[in-house]
Amino acid sequence: MHSAFARQALEQGSCTVMGAIPRASNDTRLVVVDHAGTHLKAVYKPASGERPLADFPPHSLSLREVASYRLSAHLDLNVVPPTVLRGDLGAGPGSLQAYVEDSGDDDAVTLTGVDGIPADHTPMFALRTEDGTDLVLSHDARDGLRAIAFFDLLANNADRKAGHIITGSYVPGSGPSSIGTYGIDNGLTFHAEEKVRTVLWGFSRSSFRVEELDALDEVARMSTELRSVLDDCLEDTEIESLRDRAEQLAEAGSFLEPPEDRTVIPWPPI
């Protein structure tokens, strides 16, 4: 119910752009959406404000944000906040995503000293700060993170930083039932070549569950319905690569191990 309301608000609501969100790589703006007497925060990413990238087509990141939500929703993964395309906002066509208010639960992914790694966490990698302090990034194995890690393998996410994982709610005043763990900033997804870079490699070698195998089968079959929700956001070659990845993952039967022939951690990782 929360997702349907938020999606409708994003699609139909009146938007007031409040200003730029600092430290974002591309043009990213905070918006207040007014719909049915409710105010909803959202994040607007106009395609015109995307920095050119060597390996992704120009003005395509906002489309990939929307495709990520549509795939997550189609498979009932619920790991991407509601995200729609809007063409009527000030800076032109772009994605509009429900803003997730952090609930304050930052324990899923942690950056601690070597002696401070939580007992239920899997360490991912170590780093040394400019002042010589050794730190370790680790994450737990809760289902919310597993669902994001599964989605990222399927969507070929090239930029899953720790800061792109938020536990909270995108519907104000809706109570604890609306709190979930979400992956935001999904613009670097669905490349036709293998690109996965993530801080969630701790699920590697874990066998897929029945529901995950069902989701892979759904994508591998690439029904007319699924293709129809993706084909205005992605190129045909990218949709076919998505289908092929689903087949390959199903054949592997488990979360992939990080490859040794390329960079597998995004930078910066936080």
Side-chain angles (χ1 to χ4, degrees), residues 22-215:
R23 297 185 297 279
S25 299
N26 298 295
D27 187 356
T28 305
R29 309 185 188 191
L30 179 65
V31 172
V32 174
V33 181
D34 186 1
H35 178 70
T38 298
H39 292 87
L40 190 73
K41 288 183 183 178
V43 176
Y44 168 43
K45 296 183 177 181
S48 61
E50 296 174 7
R51 291 188 302 111
L53 296 173
D55 51 352
F56 281 84
H59 308 305
S60 71
L61 303 192
S62 61
L63 294 172
R64 296 169 195 278
E65 294 269 11
V66 176
S68 293
Y69 166 67
R70 291 179 179 179
L71 179 63
S72 168
H74 182 86
L75 298 177
D76 201 27
L77 295 175
N78 300 314
V79 296
V80 179
T83 313
V84 305
L85 290 173
R86 288 285 294 251
D88 59 341
L89 303 184
S95 62
L96 189 65
Q97 181 176 92
Y99 181 91
V100 180
E101 294 279 3
D102 195 329
S103 65
D105 182 2
D106 294 325
D107 295 331
V109 182
T110 60
L111 186 64
T112 65
V114 176
D115 297 330
I117 302 171
D120 59 348
H121 279 215
T122 301
M124 288 294 93
F125 62 89
L127 57 90
R128 178 167 291 170
T129 64
E130 292 182 356
D131 64 2
T133 302
D134 290 322
L135 299 174
V136 176
L137 188 138
S138 63
H139 70 76
D140 69 22
R142 70 181 67 175
D143 285 350
L145 284 190
R146 181 184 174 108
I148 293 175
F150 175 75
F151 169 82
D152 287 344
L153 286 181
L154 193 50
N156 199 18
N157 195 333
D159 194 35
R160 179 60 72 208
K161 296 179 172 67
H164 296 172
I165 300 167
I166 302 177
T167 296
S169 172
Y170 52 78
V171 180
S174 52
S177 64
S178 68
I179 294 177
T181 301
Y182 300 98
I184 63 169
D185 285 347
N186 298 296
L188 300 187
T189 47
F190 299 108
H191 199 285
E193 300 175 7
E194 185 186 16
K195 293 279 186 179
V196 177
R197 290 191 291 269
T198 178
V199 296
L200 299 180
W201 287 108
F203 296 98
S204 297
R205 299 182 299 278
S206 298
S207 296
F208 289 129
R209 298 170 178 171
V210 171
E211 60 270 25
E212 293 165 341
L213 291 171
D214 288 345

